[in-house]
Amino acid sequence: MSTAKVRRHIGGYELGRTIGEGTFAKVRFARNSETGEAVAIKILDKEKVLKNKMVEQIKREVATMKLIKHPHVVCLYEVMASKTRIFLVLEFVKGGELFDKIVNHGRMREDEARKYFQQLINAIDYCHSRGVYHRDLKPENLLLDEYGNLKVSDFGLSALSQQVRADGLLHTTCGTPNYVAPEVLNDKGYDGTTADLWSCGVILFVLLAGYLPFEDDNVLTLYKKISFAEFACPSWISSGATKLITRMLDPNPMTRITVSELLEDGWFKKGYKPPVFDEKCDTNLDDVDAVFEDSEEHHVTEKTEQPAALNAFDLISMSKGLKLGSLFDTEQEFKRETRFTSKSPASEIISKIEAAAKPLGYDVQKKNYKMKLENMKAGRKGNLNVTTEVFQVAPSLHMVEVRKAKGDTLEFHKFYKTLSTSLKDVVWKSEED
Ligand code: 3AM
Protein backbone atom coordinates (compact mmCIF):
# COMPACT_ATOMS: atom_id res chain seq x y z
CA MET A 1 0.00 0.00 0.00
CA SER A 2 1.35 3.41 -0.85
CA THR A 3 1.97 5.57 2.17
CA ALA A 4 4.38 8.05 0.67
CA LYS A 5 5.20 9.63 -2.62
CA VAL A 6 8.49 8.89 -4.26
CA ARG A 7 10.41 11.99 -5.26
CA ARG A 8 12.14 12.08 -8.62
CA HIS A 9 14.88 14.52 -9.48
CA ILE A 10 16.19 15.36 -12.94
CA GLY A 11 19.25 17.57 -12.83
CA GLY A 12 18.27 20.49 -10.63
CA TYR A 13 14.51 19.87 -10.79
CA GLU A 14 12.10 17.89 -8.68
CA LEU A 15 9.54 16.20 -10.89
CA GLY A 16 5.87 16.46 -10.03
CA ARG A 17 2.65 15.25 -11.59
CA THR A 18 2.18 14.43 -15.27
CA ILE A 19 0.41 17.36 -16.88
CA GLY A 20 -0.36 15.58 -20.07
CA GLU A 21 0.76 13.55 -22.96
CA GLY A 22 1.33 15.47 -26.14
CA THR A 23 1.81 14.12 -29.60
CA PHE A 24 5.41 13.13 -29.18
CA ALA A 25 6.25 13.79 -25.56
CA LYS A 26 5.10 13.56 -22.02
CA VAL A 27 4.81 16.84 -20.12
CA ARG A 28 5.45 16.89 -16.37
CA PHE A 29 5.20 19.59 -13.77
CA ALA A 30 8.48 20.24 -11.93
CA ARG A 31 10.14 22.66 -9.56
CA ASN A 32 13.59 24.14 -9.65
CA SER A 33 15.07 22.62 -6.46
CA GLU A 34 17.03 25.78 -5.69
CA THR A 35 14.58 28.58 -6.47
CA GLY A 36 11.28 26.71 -6.16
CA GLU A 37 10.22 28.09 -9.54
CA ALA A 38 7.51 26.05 -11.27
CA VAL A 39 8.37 24.70 -14.73
CA ALA A 40 6.93 22.25 -17.23
CA ILE A 41 9.33 19.59 -18.48
CA LYS A 42 8.73 18.03 -21.87
CA ILE A 43 10.26 14.55 -21.93
CA LEU A 44 11.31 13.06 -25.24
CA ASP A 45 12.66 9.66 -26.10
CA LYS A 46 16.29 10.23 -27.15
CA GLU A 47 16.27 7.50 -29.73
CA LYS A 48 13.38 9.11 -31.56
CA VAL A 49 15.10 12.49 -31.62
CA LEU A 50 18.74 11.67 -32.26
CA LYS A 51 18.17 8.82 -34.68
CA ASN A 52 16.13 11.18 -36.75
CA LYS A 53 17.02 12.31 -40.23
CA MET A 54 16.07 15.84 -39.29
CA VAL A 55 18.29 16.07 -36.22
CA GLU A 56 20.18 19.09 -37.61
CA GLN A 57 16.97 20.98 -38.26
CA ILE A 58 15.61 20.10 -34.81
CA LYS A 59 18.84 21.24 -33.21
CA ARG A 60 18.77 24.52 -35.13
CA GLU A 61 15.15 25.19 -34.17
CA VAL A 62 15.62 24.23 -30.51
CA ALA A 63 18.67 26.52 -30.38
CA THR A 64 16.71 29.42 -31.92
CA MET A 65 13.83 28.82 -29.52
CA LYS A 66 16.20 29.09 -26.61
CA LEU A 67 17.15 32.53 -27.81
CA ILE A 68 13.57 33.68 -28.22
CA LYS A 69 12.16 35.48 -25.22
CA HIS A 70 8.79 36.80 -26.32
CA PRO A 71 5.83 37.53 -24.01
CA HIS A 72 3.48 35.37 -26.10
CA VAL A 73 5.79 32.42 -26.70
CA VAL A 74 6.36 29.73 -24.05
CA CYS A 75 9.94 30.22 -22.95
CA LEU A 76 12.45 27.37 -23.26
CA TYR A 77 14.78 27.71 -20.26
CA GLU A 78 17.10 24.80 -20.62
CA VAL A 79 17.71 21.53 -22.47
CA MET A 80 19.08 18.47 -20.67
CA ALA A 81 19.61 14.81 -21.49
CA SER A 82 20.09 11.60 -19.56
CA LYS A 83 21.22 8.33 -21.06
CA THR A 84 17.86 7.65 -22.67
CA ARG A 85 15.81 10.85 -22.60
CA ILE A 86 15.85 14.52 -23.55
CA PHE A 87 14.26 17.10 -21.26
CA LEU A 88 13.06 20.49 -22.43
CA VAL A 89 12.57 22.73 -19.41
CA LEU A 90 9.79 25.19 -20.23
CA GLU A 91 8.05 28.08 -18.58
CA PHE A 92 5.03 26.66 -16.72
CA VAL A 93 1.84 28.23 -18.06
CA LYS A 94 -0.91 27.85 -15.53
CA GLY A 95 -4.13 29.23 -17.01
CA GLY A 96 -4.99 26.14 -19.09
CA GLU A 97 -5.75 26.11 -22.77
CA LEU A 98 -7.45 28.88 -24.75
CA PHE A 99 -9.89 26.45 -26.29
CA ASP A 100 -11.10 25.22 -22.89
CA LYS A 101 -12.77 28.63 -22.76
CA ILE A 102 -14.70 27.88 -25.95
CA VAL A 103 -15.64 24.38 -24.84
CA ASN A 104 -16.77 25.80 -21.53
CA HIS A 105 -18.39 29.12 -22.45
CA GLY A 106 -18.95 28.91 -26.22
CA ARG A 107 -17.79 31.40 -28.85
CA MET A 108 -16.18 34.71 -27.93
CA ARG A 109 -17.16 38.30 -28.45
CA GLU A 110 -15.17 39.89 -31.28
CA ASP A 111 -13.16 42.18 -28.99
CA GLU A 112 -12.02 39.29 -26.83
CA ALA A 113 -11.21 37.07 -29.83
CA ARG A 114 -9.31 39.95 -31.44
CA LYS A 115 -7.13 40.37 -28.34
CA TYR A 116 -6.02 36.71 -28.43
CA PHE A 117 -5.67 36.77 -32.20
CA GLN A 118 -3.44 39.88 -32.07
CA GLN A 119 -1.23 38.17 -29.47
CA LEU A 120 -1.06 35.06 -31.64
CA ILE A 121 -0.08 36.99 -34.78
CA ASN A 122 2.47 39.00 -32.83
CA ALA A 123 4.13 35.79 -31.60
CA ILE A 124 4.02 34.20 -35.07
CA ASP A 125 5.48 37.29 -36.73
CA TYR A 126 8.33 37.44 -34.21
CA CYS A 127 9.27 33.76 -34.57
CA HIS A 128 8.97 33.84 -38.38
CA SER A 129 11.30 36.83 -38.49
CA ARG A 130 13.87 34.65 -36.71
CA GLY A 131 13.40 31.69 -38.98
CA VAL A 132 11.27 29.53 -36.67
CA TYR A 133 7.97 28.21 -37.96
CA HIS A 134 5.36 26.39 -36.02
CA ARG A 135 3.73 24.23 -38.70
CA ASP A 136 1.50 22.55 -36.14
CA LEU A 137 -0.61 25.31 -34.62
CA LYS A 138 -3.65 23.84 -32.93
CA PRO A 139 -5.68 24.40 -29.76
CA GLU A 140 -3.43 22.34 -27.48
CA ASN A 141 -0.57 24.69 -28.32
CA LEU A 142 -2.43 27.84 -27.30
CA LEU A 143 -2.08 28.28 -23.54
CA LEU A 144 -3.12 31.08 -21.21
CA ASP A 145 -1.05 32.48 -18.37
CA GLU A 146 -2.44 33.60 -15.01
CA TYR A 147 -3.18 37.07 -16.43
CA GLY A 148 -5.20 35.66 -19.33
CA ASN A 149 -2.48 36.32 -21.90
CA LEU A 150 -1.83 33.92 -24.74
CA LYS A 151 1.35 31.82 -24.80
CA VAL A 152 2.10 29.73 -27.88
CA SER A 153 3.88 26.45 -27.13
CA ASP A 154 5.81 23.93 -29.22
CA PHE A 155 7.36 26.47 -31.59
CA GLY A 156 10.38 24.94 -33.25
CA LEU A 157 9.42 21.37 -32.45
CA SER A 158 7.46 20.67 -35.60
CA ALA A 159 10.36 18.97 -37.35
CA LEU A 160 10.23 16.40 -34.62
CA SER A 161 6.53 15.68 -34.83
CA GLN A 162 6.70 15.53 -38.61
CA GLN A 163 9.43 12.95 -38.53
CA VAL A 164 7.64 10.98 -35.90
CA ARG A 165 4.60 11.10 -38.12
CA ALA A 166 6.57 9.71 -41.07
CA ASP A 167 7.86 6.89 -38.87
CA GLY A 168 4.34 6.00 -37.89
CA LEU A 169 5.30 6.32 -34.23
CA LEU A 170 2.79 9.02 -33.52
CA HIS A 171 0.27 8.84 -30.73
CA THR A 172 -3.31 8.51 -31.92
CA THR A 173 -4.27 11.88 -30.43
CA CYS A 174 -2.32 13.65 -33.13
CA GLY A 175 -2.86 14.11 -36.76
CA THR A 176 -6.11 16.07 -36.68
CA PRO A 177 -5.94 17.80 -40.05
CA ASN A 178 -8.51 20.42 -39.06
CA TYR A 179 -5.91 23.17 -38.64
CA VAL A 180 -3.54 22.13 -41.40
CA ALA A 181 -3.13 24.12 -44.63
CA PRO A 182 -4.09 22.43 -47.94
CA GLU A 183 -0.53 22.56 -49.30
CA VAL A 184 0.73 20.72 -46.19
CA LEU A 185 -1.95 18.04 -46.58
CA ASN A 186 -1.10 17.64 -50.25
CA ASP A 187 2.50 17.18 -49.24
CA LYS A 188 3.80 19.24 -52.12
CA GLY A 189 6.46 21.01 -50.07
CA TYR A 190 5.42 24.23 -48.45
CA ASP A 191 6.47 27.47 -46.90
CA GLY A 192 6.18 27.59 -43.10
CA THR A 193 5.09 31.26 -43.11
CA THR A 194 1.96 30.88 -45.20
CA ALA A 195 1.08 27.48 -43.69
CA ASP A 196 1.08 29.02 -40.18
CA LEU A 197 -1.19 31.84 -41.37
CA TRP A 198 -3.77 29.33 -42.62
CA SER A 199 -3.83 27.68 -39.17
CA CYS A 200 -4.27 31.13 -37.56
CA GLY A 201 -7.25 31.66 -39.87
CA VAL A 202 -8.83 28.41 -38.65
CA ILE A 203 -8.16 29.46 -35.04
CA LEU A 204 -9.79 32.88 -35.58
CA PHE A 205 -12.81 31.17 -37.14
CA VAL A 206 -13.20 28.83 -34.12
CA LEU A 207 -12.89 31.73 -31.63
CA LEU A 208 -15.66 33.69 -33.39
CA ALA A 209 -17.92 30.84 -34.54
CA GLY A 210 -17.51 28.39 -31.65
CA TYR A 211 -17.00 25.49 -34.07
CA LEU A 212 -14.54 24.36 -36.75
CA PRO A 213 -14.70 25.71 -40.32
CA PHE A 214 -13.88 22.31 -41.84
CA GLU A 215 -15.35 19.21 -40.32
CA ASP A 216 -16.38 15.83 -41.60
CA ASP A 217 -16.46 12.30 -40.22
CA ASN A 218 -14.93 11.07 -43.44
CA VAL A 219 -11.26 12.07 -43.61
CA LEU A 220 -11.22 12.14 -47.42
CA THR A 221 -14.19 14.50 -47.54
CA LEU A 222 -12.51 16.62 -44.87
CA TYR A 223 -9.33 16.83 -46.99
CA LYS A 224 -11.43 17.86 -49.97
CA LYS A 225 -13.21 20.57 -47.98
CA ILE A 226 -9.85 21.92 -46.81
CA SER A 227 -8.27 21.76 -50.27
CA PHE A 228 -11.07 23.85 -51.77
CA ALA A 229 -11.54 25.98 -48.62
CA GLU A 230 -15.20 25.01 -48.47
CA PHE A 231 -16.47 26.86 -45.43
CA ALA A 232 -19.05 29.50 -44.58
CA CYS A 233 -18.82 32.16 -41.90
CA PRO A 234 -21.94 32.31 -39.70
CA SER A 235 -24.03 35.48 -39.95
CA TRP A 236 -23.04 36.79 -36.48
CA ILE A 237 -19.41 37.29 -37.55
CA SER A 238 -18.90 40.92 -38.68
CA SER A 239 -18.09 41.63 -42.31
CA GLY A 240 -14.58 42.88 -41.36
CA ALA A 241 -13.74 39.61 -39.60
CA THR A 242 -15.37 37.52 -42.36
CA LYS A 243 -13.24 39.29 -44.97
CA LEU A 244 -10.08 38.66 -42.99
CA ILE A 245 -10.86 34.96 -42.39
CA THR A 246 -11.55 34.54 -46.11
CA ARG A 247 -8.16 36.08 -46.95
CA MET A 248 -6.41 33.76 -44.48
CA LEU A 249 -8.28 30.63 -45.60
CA ASP A 250 -7.23 31.09 -49.21
CA PRO A 251 -6.34 27.59 -50.51
CA ASN A 252 -3.65 29.08 -52.72
CA PRO A 253 -0.61 29.89 -50.54
CA MET A 254 0.69 32.30 -53.21
CA THR A 255 -2.32 34.60 -52.94
CA ARG A 256 -3.03 34.04 -49.20
CA ILE A 257 -2.70 37.12 -46.99
CA THR A 258 0.84 37.78 -45.69
CA VAL A 259 1.71 38.88 -42.14
CA SER A 260 2.56 42.41 -43.29
CA GLU A 261 -0.81 42.71 -45.08
CA LEU A 262 -2.52 41.29 -42.00
CA LEU A 263 -0.91 43.90 -39.76
CA GLU A 264 -2.57 46.57 -41.97
CA ASP A 265 -6.03 44.95 -41.91
CA GLY A 266 -8.76 47.22 -40.48
CA TRP A 267 -10.40 44.54 -38.28
CA PHE A 268 -7.05 43.30 -36.97
CA LYS A 269 -5.62 46.76 -36.24
CA LYS A 270 -8.41 47.87 -33.91
CA GLY A 271 -6.82 48.58 -30.51
CA TYR A 272 -3.61 46.71 -31.48
CA LYS A 273 -0.84 47.38 -29.01
CA PRO A 274 2.19 45.20 -29.73
CA PRO A 275 3.84 44.22 -26.43
CA VAL A 276 6.99 46.04 -25.38
CA PHE A 277 9.70 43.69 -24.11
CA ASP A 278 13.40 43.38 -23.68
CA GLU A 279 14.73 41.60 -26.74
CA LYS A 280 18.24 41.34 -25.44
CA CYS A 281 19.10 38.00 -23.97
CA ASP A 282 22.34 36.47 -22.90
CA THR A 283 21.40 32.83 -23.05
CA ASN A 284 24.12 30.49 -24.13
CA LEU A 285 23.63 27.40 -26.23
CA ASP A 286 26.12 25.04 -24.57
CA ASP A 287 23.31 22.84 -23.25
CA VAL A 288 21.76 22.49 -26.73
CA ASP A 289 25.16 21.55 -28.22
CA ALA A 290 25.79 19.01 -25.46
CA VAL A 291 22.40 17.34 -25.92
CA PHE A 292 22.58 17.09 -29.68
CA GLU A 293 26.17 15.90 -29.67
CA ASP A 294 25.01 13.35 -27.13
CA SER A 295 27.92 14.21 -24.90
CA GLU A 296 27.94 11.69 -22.05
CA GLU A 297 29.80 13.84 -19.58
CA HIS A 298 26.86 16.28 -19.61
CA HIS A 299 24.21 13.68 -18.86
CA VAL A 300 22.00 14.67 -15.95
CA THR A 301 21.19 12.08 -13.36
CA GLU A 302 17.68 10.82 -12.74
CA LYS A 303 17.49 10.31 -8.99
CA THR A 304 14.69 8.68 -7.10
CA GLU A 305 14.36 9.43 -3.42
CA GLN A 306 12.19 7.73 -0.82
CA PRO A 307 11.11 10.57 1.42
CA ALA A 308 9.83 10.31 4.96
CA ALA A 309 6.25 9.11 4.73
CA LEU A 310 3.62 11.79 4.57
CA ASN A 311 1.78 11.87 7.83
CA ALA A 312 -1.97 11.73 8.23
CA PHE A 313 -2.24 15.50 8.52
CA ASP A 314 -0.35 16.04 5.25
CA LEU A 315 -2.62 13.64 3.46
CA ILE A 316 -5.84 15.00 4.87
CA SER A 317 -4.84 18.55 4.10
CA MET A 318 -4.21 17.48 0.52
CA SER A 319 -7.71 16.17 0.12
CA LYS A 320 -11.16 17.62 0.30
CA GLY A 321 -14.48 15.86 0.40
CA LEU A 322 -15.79 14.66 -2.90
CA LYS A 323 -17.20 18.00 -3.97
CA LEU A 324 -17.41 18.87 -7.61
CA GLY A 325 -16.53 22.40 -6.61
CA SER A 326 -13.06 21.23 -5.74
CA LEU A 327 -12.44 20.51 -9.39
CA PHE A 328 -12.15 24.23 -9.97
CA ASP A 329 -9.39 26.36 -8.63
CA THR A 330 -9.86 29.92 -7.45
CA GLU A 331 -9.79 31.27 -11.00
CA GLN A 332 -12.55 28.85 -11.94
CA GLU A 333 -10.24 27.03 -14.28
CA PHE A 334 -10.64 23.30 -14.64
CA LYS A 335 -8.37 21.09 -12.61
CA ARG A 336 -6.94 17.83 -13.84
CA GLU A 337 -6.84 16.01 -10.54
CA THR A 338 -8.65 15.69 -7.25
CA ARG A 339 -8.37 13.75 -4.01
CA PHE A 340 -10.80 12.52 -1.43
CA THR A 341 -10.67 10.54 1.76
CA SER A 342 -12.51 7.34 2.55
CA LYS A 343 -13.01 5.09 5.55
CA SER A 344 -13.80 2.07 3.39
CA PRO A 345 -11.24 -0.69 2.73
CA ALA A 346 -9.02 -0.12 -0.29
CA SER A 347 -10.44 -3.18 -2.06
CA GLU A 348 -13.95 -1.76 -1.79
CA ILE A 349 -12.88 1.65 -3.11
CA ILE A 350 -11.14 0.02 -6.05
CA SER A 351 -14.05 -2.22 -6.96
CA LYS A 352 -16.49 0.71 -6.71
CA ILE A 353 -14.31 2.75 -9.10
CA GLU A 354 -14.14 -0.20 -11.45
CA ALA A 355 -17.88 -0.76 -11.30
CA ALA A 356 -18.49 2.91 -12.12
CA ALA A 357 -15.99 3.09 -14.98
CA LYS A 358 -16.73 -0.13 -16.89
CA PRO A 359 -20.31 0.68 -17.97
CA LEU A 360 -19.04 4.04 -19.26
CA GLY A 361 -16.83 2.23 -21.78
CA TYR A 362 -13.57 2.29 -19.84
CA ASP A 363 -10.93 -0.39 -20.00
CA VAL A 364 -9.72 -0.90 -16.42
CA GLN A 365 -6.19 -1.99 -15.54
CA LYS A 366 -5.26 -2.57 -11.90
CA LYS A 367 -1.84 -2.88 -10.37
CA ASN A 368 -1.48 -2.93 -6.60
CA TYR A 369 -3.33 0.16 -5.47
CA LYS A 370 -3.13 2.01 -8.75
CA MET A 371 -5.65 1.92 -11.57
CA LYS A 372 -5.55 3.08 -15.14
CA LEU A 373 -8.89 3.74 -16.77
CA GLU A 374 -8.90 4.24 -20.51
CA ASN A 375 -11.96 5.26 -22.41
CA MET A 376 -12.11 3.16 -25.55
CA LYS A 377 -13.97 5.90 -27.45
CA ALA A 378 -11.83 8.76 -28.76
CA GLY A 379 -12.97 12.17 -27.56
CA ARG A 380 -12.02 15.68 -28.61
CA LYS A 381 -8.38 15.08 -27.72
CA GLY A 382 -8.08 11.36 -28.20
CA ASN A 383 -8.92 8.70 -25.64
CA LEU A 384 -9.46 9.97 -22.13
CA ASN A 385 -7.10 8.27 -19.67
CA VAL A 386 -7.69 8.55 -15.95
CA THR A 387 -5.40 7.20 -13.26
CA THR A 388 -6.29 6.61 -9.63
CA GLU A 389 -4.23 5.68 -6.62
CA VAL A 390 -5.21 4.72 -3.07
CA PHE A 391 -2.92 5.82 -0.23
CA GLN A 392 -3.20 4.61 3.33
CA VAL A 393 -3.39 7.42 5.90
CA ALA A 394 -4.23 5.25 8.92
CA PRO A 395 -5.37 1.62 9.17
CA SER A 396 -8.94 2.61 8.42
CA LEU A 397 -8.46 5.81 6.45
CA HIS A 398 -7.47 6.14 2.82
CA MET A 399 -6.81 8.98 0.49
CA VAL A 400 -7.77 8.47 -3.13
CA GLU A 401 -6.25 10.48 -5.93
CA VAL A 402 -8.06 10.73 -9.28
CA ARG A 403 -6.13 12.31 -12.11
CA LYS A 404 -6.58 12.98 -15.80
CA ALA A 405 -3.52 11.45 -17.48
CA LYS A 406 -4.50 12.21 -21.05
CA GLY A 407 -7.37 13.65 -23.04
CA ASP A 408 -9.87 16.45 -22.74
CA THR A 409 -10.31 18.18 -19.39
CA LEU A 410 -14.02 18.72 -19.92
CA GLU A 411 -14.60 15.03 -20.67
CA PHE A 412 -12.67 14.26 -17.49
CA HIS A 413 -15.08 16.45 -15.54
CA LYS A 414 -18.09 14.68 -17.01
CA PHE A 415 -16.55 11.34 -16.06
CA TYR A 416 -15.73 12.56 -12.58
CA LYS A 417 -19.30 13.73 -12.04
CA THR A 418 -20.60 10.21 -12.73
CA LEU A 419 -17.84 8.65 -10.66
CA SER A 420 -18.60 10.88 -7.69
CA THR A 421 -22.26 9.78 -7.73
CA SER A 422 -21.24 6.12 -7.69
CA LEU A 423 -18.71 6.66 -4.90
CA LYS A 424 -21.03 8.58 -2.59
CA ASP A 425 -21.13 5.75 -0.04
CA VAL A 426 -17.39 5.32 0.30
CA VAL A 427 -16.41 8.97 0.64
CA TRP A 428 -15.68 10.17 4.13
CA LYS A 429 -17.46 13.42 4.78
CA SER A 430 -15.61 15.65 7.20
CA GLU A 431 -17.54 18.26 9.19
CA GLU A 432 -16.22 20.97 6.92
CA ASP A 433 -17.97 19.31 3.99
O1 3AM B 1 -3.37 17.24 -21.89
P1 3AM B 1 -3.86 18.65 -22.06
O2 3AM B 1 -4.25 18.96 -23.49
O3 3AM B 1 -4.87 19.06 -21.05
O4 3AM B 1 -1.81 22.07 -22.20
C1 3AM B 1 -0.87 21.07 -22.52
C2 3AM B 1 -1.49 19.70 -22.66
O5 3AM B 1 -2.58 19.58 -21.77
C3 3AM B 1 0.09 20.89 -21.35
O6 3AM B 1 0.53 19.56 -21.44
C4 3AM B 1 -0.40 18.78 -22.16
C5 3AM B 1 0.31 18.01 -23.27
O7 3AM B 1 0.87 18.90 -24.20
N1 3AM B 1 1.27 21.78 -21.45
C6 3AM B 1 2.20 21.77 -22.44
N2 3AM B 1 3.14 22.68 -22.21
C7 3AM B 1 2.82 23.30 -21.05
C8 3AM B 1 3.42 24.37 -20.27
N3 3AM B 1 4.55 24.97 -20.69
C9 3AM B 1 1.62 22.72 -20.55
N4 3AM B 1 1.04 23.13 -19.42
C10 3AM B 1 1.66 24.13 -18.74
N5 3AM B 1 2.82 24.75 -19.13
Side-chain angles (χ1 to χ4, degrees), residues 19-22 27 40 74 91-93 97 143 336 381 404 409:
I19 302 176
E21 244 174 81
V27 184
V74 174
E91 166 187 7
F92 175 65
V93 188
E97 288 169 25
L143 308 176
R336 300 144 187 265
K381 280 201 227 151
K404 185 197 83 167
T409 313

Side-chain angles (χ1 to χ4, degrees), residues 238-257:
S238 70
S239 64
T242 302
K243 234 171 55 202
L244 177 57
I245 291 171
T246 313
R247 289 286 290 112
M248 298 184 82
L249 299 183
D250 176 347
N252 180 355
M254 307 297 282
T255 50
R256 192 174 301 149
I257 195 168

Side-chain angles (χ1 to χ4, degrees), residues 289-305:
D289 290 334
V291 164
F292 283 91
E293 278 150 27
D294 204 12
S295 134
E296 247 175 69
E297 63 180 298
H298 290 103
H299 283 172
V300 286
T301 44
E302 297 184 54
K303 258 194 328 217
T304 302
E305 210 178 79

